[in-house]
Structure formats: structure tokens, C-alpha cells
Amino acid sequence: MKANRLISRLTLTILLAVSLIGCKEKEAITVDQKQPATVEELGQMNRDFAAALIAKDATAAANAYGKTASLLPPNEPIVTGRENIKNYWQGAIDAGLIDAKVKTIDANSDGNLGYEIGTFTLKFQTEDGTIITDIGKYTEILKRDDTGRWVSIYGMWSANETH
């Protein structure tokens, strides 16, 4: 009987210790997430996004956005939700997208919210082989997701000119 009580107490003590350690780790993550992000960290979202477009992977491109994010494309209605964003970028891929480049101009954060502004170059190849280049600028409102990764919650862009 004493052995059973000892085992029960030992098991309870171990479970309590593991729970407390888990709470401390979660607390540490929350504290770290309140630290300002670097320009490099904030710009990673768009670099990953551009790489996904080049790879013709609309799902990966959409995963650069939060689940309830919105795109505000020029001269088009707002596109809301990751699945709709995926369909939007699949349309760009299907339209002949062959290259995507982004360059961060400025980025900053305060806690779990941030922004990035930059420039982009998109290249499309038409059915007859003509290359159309879209050059412009963008603004992203960013938020850390549950894993600590920066994702866009609002993205807006406009073209400078088309070649």
C-alpha cells in the first residue's frame, strides 16, 4: 500500500513539474514575440511568397498570409481568406507568371504587429512568347501567427508602369 502511495505521489509530482515547465516555456515564447523584429525577419514573408510564385505553388504563396487575410489588388475587389487568396495567385500563375522579385524598402514592428513596404517586379509570358513586366510597390501589414512566423494580414500594391 505504501509503495502505491509513493508511486502515485511521485507520478503527481512529475506531472506537476512538467506542467510548470510547459507554462514557463509558453511564457518565454510570449515575451520573445513582443521583441521588435528585424527588417530581415519582416521581409522574409515576401521573399517566401515570391519564391512560391516562381515555383508555381499557389498554396505556398497563400500560406504567406494569415487565415483571414485580405488582398487589396489594384482595380479589383478585395480578396479575403486564405483559400480565395490561393485562387487569386493561381490565376496569376495561370496567366503566365514566370518571375517574381521583391525588395524591402522599410519594415518595422511593435509587439506582434508590423509592416513592410517595398518594390516588386513580376514577369509574365503570354501565349505568343511576349514578356510583360509589371513593376510597382507594395505595403504589407504583418502579424505573428501562433508559431511566431510573420504573415501578411493585409496586402496592397500598385504598378508603376507595365512594359
Side-chain angles (χ1 to χ4, degrees):
M1 198 67 143
K2 285 185 181 182
N4 284 343
R5 268 192 217 162
L6 181 60
I7 291 171
S8 293
R9 285 182 184 167
L10 184 58
T11 302
L12 184 58
T13 302
I14 291 170
L15 287 174
L16 183 58
V18 169
S19 295
L20 289 174
I21 290 168
C23 289
K24 290 285 185 193
E25 286 178 6
K26 283 185 180 180
E27 185 178 300
I29 290 169
T30 302
V31 171
D32 289 344
Q33 288 182 349
K34 292 187 179 193
Q35 297 299 319
T38 65
V39 171
E40 179 72 19
E41 288 173 304
L42 294 164
Q44 190 62 49
M45 172 263 157
N46 263 309
R47 288 189 300 280
D48 292 345
F49 166 75
L53 287 181
I54 293 168
K56 302 190 180 317
D57 187 344
T59 299
N63 285 337
Y65 295 87
K67 292 177 185 172
T68 60
S70 292
L71 298 179
L72 292 86
N75 306 311
E76 295 184 50
I78 295 172
V79 178
T80 301
R82 195 178 282 156
E83 186 65 24
N84 292 326
I85 291 171
K86 174 185 151 192
N87 294 336
Y88 181 88
W89 291 116
Q90 185 63 56
I93 292 166
D94 294 345
L97 182 80
I98 57 170
D99 194 25
K101 290 183 176 47
V102 295
K103 180 181 178 189
T104 303
I105 294 173
D106 189 25
N108 205 338
S109 70
D110 186 8
N112 291 325
L113 287 175
Y115 71 87
E116 178 196 10
I117 62 170
T119 59
F120 69 85
T121 302
L122 299 176
K123 291 186 179 182
F124 295 84
Q125 186 170 11
T126 64
E127 288 182 14
D128 69 2
T130 303
I131 303 292
I132 298 171
T133 303
D134 189 14
I135 299 170
K137 62 269 183 199
Y138 64 85
T139 301
E140 300 285 350
I141 305 300
L142 305 166
K143 182 178 180 182
R144 285 190 214 255
D145 68 9
D146 294 338
T147 68
R149 183 177 66 107
W150 288 97
V151 294
S152 177
I153 55 173
Y154 295 103
M156 177 182 264
W157 67 95
S158 62
N160 295 341
E161 55 185 288
T162 302
H163 301 287

